[in-house]
Amino acid sequence: FQGTLTSKLKEQFDAGLLAGQALHADFTMAQPLARYTQADHEIWRALYDQQAAMLPGRACDTFLQGLETLGMARDHVPDFAELNERLMRATGWQVVAVPGLVPDEVFFDHLANRRFPASWWMRTPAQMDYLQEPDCFHDVFGHVPMLINPVFADYMQAYGRGGLKAQKLGALDMLARLYWYTVEFGLIRTHAGLRIYGAGIVSSKSESIYALDDARPNRLGFDLRRIMRTHYRIDTFQKTYFVIDSFDQLFDATRPDFTPLYAELRDQREFAAEAIEDGDRVLHQGTGQEPALS
Ligand code: PHE
Ligand code: FE
């Protein structure tokens, strides 16, 4: 998720990775295709194969269809320009390369203009299943396939606009929880069973199993107010997943102006990540046991 500008930019600059590379005011840059090493391509392929093998029957149809429709490269880091040809045709979205996390208002402005900022760099072999900042695999494999769904594509754009507004209202903490519990860690109920649509889950092998099948986390029906009051964990798997019934449900629930909602929720108490509260639609009550992060 997008916090403040991190050390990534400085790190890449110091390593000479950005030499001769223009960084635009909106933090985008040309995807430096020549900088990818053989090791980068191999990590992409290993992660792609690992996830592609396990996601059928776990990821939602939109996600699996998205990989196909976009013709996402399997054996090398995708060229964003090639992805964009198909993505543009599908929903008018684009992927743009950035050095890493960008400032909130820059991130929101990209989304509001149907541009998804993706980190261009690839993780190292030591970070195969967990990393603290989004890399190219998380951003491109995890987020981009969902953008072929017209409703989800509109939701992401609306989120960007809502972000700019929430920032002015001092409500980013509440809005960030919505992104976290939907775009990053969302589950969806289908007739075939529970499925994943959150990018943070589909890009991780162990969380793809944990989120759907493990007894430890809670799984609760989607509830906008509940989500906006709920803390989340960034250091481990989620304690609670929220389950939508459809992307229309998600989009419709978030359509109203949030201004009065922020004012109302501001005075209410917040919930711990693992809490179960009165009024929750409990699909599964977690055991609350700590997951062992491998
Ligand atoms: N309706 C929200 C608002 O008024 C904007 C929004 C839409 C936020 C979709 C998130 C997701 O702020
Ligand atoms: Fe992400």
Side-chain angles (χ1 to χ4, degrees), residues 6 9 11 30 55 59 110 113 118 143 156 160 198 203 213 236 242 269:
T6 64
L9 180 56
E11 185 187 309
L55 289 176
H110 280 306
N113 289 287
H143 285 281
M156 289 290 281
S203 57
D213 302 331
T236 177
F242 288 91
R269 104 192 135 81

Side-chain angles (χ1 to χ4, degrees), residues 155 158-159 162 165 175 178 254-259 262:
Y155 173 69
Y159 187 93
K165 179 159 84 184
L175 192 70
L178 178 62
T254 52
R255 210 187 284 270
D257 181 3
F258 285 176
T259 310
Y262 294 145

